[in-house]
Amino acid sequence: MVEANGDQSLQSVAMPPGACIWHENAGHSRAPCDFEVLDAEFLDVLGKAPKLEFITNAPAREGGVYFPDKEEYYFSSPWNSNELPEKPVNLMKMSLVTGEVSFVMKTNMANGMTLDNSGKLVVCEQGLFEKRGFIQKIDLHSMASSIVADNWKGLSFNSPNDVVVKSDNSIWFTDPDYGQKEHFKGPSQIGKNQVYRVSVTGEVTAVADGFTKPNGLAFSPDEKLLYITDTGTSVGDGTVDLSKPHDINVFDVEGTTLSNRRVFASVAVLDGSLPSIGVPDGIKVDTQGRVYTANQDGIQVFSPKGKLLGLIRVQGAINMGFVGPRLDRMIVTNYSAIHSVQLNVQAAGLLYAEALHHHL
């Protein structure tokens, strides 16, 4: 690893193609580059030949799931609350071989998704008007589906947002009230925004609250930590509240419970093109414990200690996922397009893909 101590030490380090050193207050007046380097550890992430490529224009918003059986990438389409339900949210997929994007099925406002440890797609369905939100599983070979959970203590969820599956097959998901704020759901029955765990027997337990808008979540490689973003600055009605959280929180994981909540990182916008408060949405980790989050200016990368290392610039990034035999290629969605980034890392937490490629 290259050691660094601020910008001064980076001046003598050769930058890979497309990379440049980030400078405080440079704003968007500096020369454009694909990778903004704040710390030399980011060069380990990039490797000698990082490559950011535009793949295709596509209505791509949330999800970001690699299905290795068929080398496909699944995601949900964007939505406009004023056009619902006439224009529903669709489950879409892209071939990682050809780049072709195709329709899979209509959904009940699908948002975040992941694969479980048997290769089934786990989807956060937010619900629409009188229809309840729920967590469902879909067999991507037969397209058979089943509902995993649709209530907590008899109360309907707000609008399930993002989901992750632990190695013990439990399902953990966030449930902010964006559906209520965007007016495609009725009043919240629960009255607060929580994070839930669904056991293998289907028991739903609230494991964390106190969020303004809990959003993306990811376990550390050893599953001893759980990272959860709070996108409270994005109110959900088209406005921004700069007084609300724009953070990545981290918890200690103790069996089926969470404890010792603290702020891992507060997220801002680096390029000066937008207000300086961030909206950390999707989140992923690599095998070295680094944390990746999608923000308005691109994918921000943090060390395991919460130090900002660098930025992969994709304007308007919403979510991302790792793909490929080495899990070293990142796919990024930003509402209207899909980009690919070749990196020098290996994603963690993709247990089904890891097992499948190891077997092959």
Side-chain angles (χ1 to χ4, degrees):
M1 180 182 295
V2 182
E3 295 295 332
N5 184 22
D7 280 353
Q8 190 63 37
S9 62
L10 284 172
Q11 301 298 329
S12 60
V13 178
M15 292 288 119
C20 61
I21 300 172
W22 181 84
H23 295 283
E24 188 81 39
N25 299 322
H28 52 274
S29 61
R30 81 272 181 267
C33 55
D34 294 331
F35 311 103
E36 301 265 6
V37 182
L38 282 80
D39 186 274
E41 186 181 343
F42 192 49
L43 300 177
D44 295 338
V45 174
L46 298 179
K48 294 182 179 179
K51 195 172 185 181
L52 174 61
E53 294 182 295
F54 167 82
I55 299 179
T56 186
N57 289 311
R61 179 166 175 164
E62 299 282 1
V65 175
Y66 173 44
F67 185 50
D69 297 44
K70 298 182 179 182
E71 287 299 308
E72 295 171 333
Y73 189 75
Y74 284 75
F75 56 92
S76 60
S77 63
W79 60 85
N80 183 327
S81 298
N82 296 325
E83 297 176 343
L84 295 171
E86 288 75 18
K87 281 191 175 182
V89 174
N90 296 322
L91 178 63
M92 310 287 290
K93 67 179 180 180
M94 179 183 72
S95 167
L96 294 169
V97 178
T98 66
E100 179 183 0
V101 172
S102 56
F103 167 85
V104 179
M105 61 187 292
K106 293 181 179 180
T107 74
N108 193 37
M109 295 293 291
N111 201 324
M113 55 189 83
T114 189
L115 283 190
D116 72 6
N117 300 326
S118 67
K120 291 182 179 177
L121 188 67
V122 183
V123 184
C124 287
E125 299 277 5
Q126 299 179 90
L128 183 60
F129 302 122
E130 73 282 355
K131 296 179 181 178
R132 271 187 170 185
F134 55 88
I135 307 298
Q136 74 165 328
K137 286 188 177 184
I138 302 173
D139 185 316
L140 294 176
H141 291 286
S142 68
M143 298 310 295
S145 65
S146 60
I147 293 177
V148 175
D150 68 354
N151 74 92
W152 174 65
K153 300 185 183 303
L155 303 173
S156 296
F157 298 128
N158 294 330
S159 49
N161 188 284
D162 206 358
V163 61
V164 67
V165 176
K166 202 165 177 272
S167 60
D168 65 0
N169 294 309
S170 59
I171 297 171
W172 304 60
F173 69 96
T174 56
D175 187 38
D177 59 355
Y178 277 124
Q180 285 74 29
K181 298 300 183 182
E182 295 181 33
H183 306 296
F184 62 80
K185 295 289 294 291
S188 171
Q189 294 185 6
I190 296 173
K192 55 183 177 178
N193 298 326
Q194 302 190 128
V195 180
Y196 297 95
R197 176 186 183 271
V198 186
S199 72
V200 294
T201 61
E203 180 184 5
V204 180
T205 306
V207 293
D209 60 12
F211 290 90
T212 303
K213 295 286 189 295
N215 203 312
L217 72 174
F219 286 103
S220 61
D222 60 7
E223 297 186 334
K224 293 181 178 180
L225 302 172
L226 179 62
Y227 301 97
I228 305 176
T229 70
D230 192 334
T231 53
T233 47
S234 178
V235 177
D237 58 3
T239 64
V240 173
D241 186 343
L242 300 182
S243 70
K244 299 300 183 183
H246 44 95
D247 306 325
I248 302 172
N249 297 270
V250 62
F251 295 79
D252 294 331
V253 181
E254 299 177 351
T256 62
T257 63
L258 302 177
S259 64
N260 192 24
R261 175 179 179 171
R262 62 267 190 202
V263 173
F264 173 77
S266 186
V267 178
V269 174
L270 295 181
D271 65 5
S273 62
L274 294 165
S276 60
I277 300 301
V279 183
D281 198 329
I283 187 169
K284 299 291 186 290
V285 297
D286 69 21
T287 55
Q288 300 304 306
R290 289 178 289 245
V291 176
Y292 302 70
T293 191
N295 191 42
Q296 303 105 304
D297 52 1
I299 307 301
Q300 295 194 10
V301 184
F302 296 83
S303 77
K305 299 291 187 181
K307 182 178 184 180
L308 181 57
L309 303 177
L311 171 72
I312 301 167
R313 193 190 301 170
V314 178
Q315 196 72 22
I318 293 292
N319 220 318
M320 74 296 205
F322 285 94
V323 304
R326 299 179 185 272
L327 300 176
D328 59 354
R329 182 185 173 204
M330 179 186 287
I331 304 296
V332 183
T333 55
N334 71 341
Y335 285 100
S336 61
I338 302 176
H339 293 77
S340 169
V341 191
Q342 183 61 54
L343 298 171
N344 185 43
V345 301
Q346 181 179 344
L350 303 180
L351 301 182
Y352 178 75
E354 291 172 10
L356 181 67
H357 286 309
H358 178 75
H359 177 73
L360 295 176

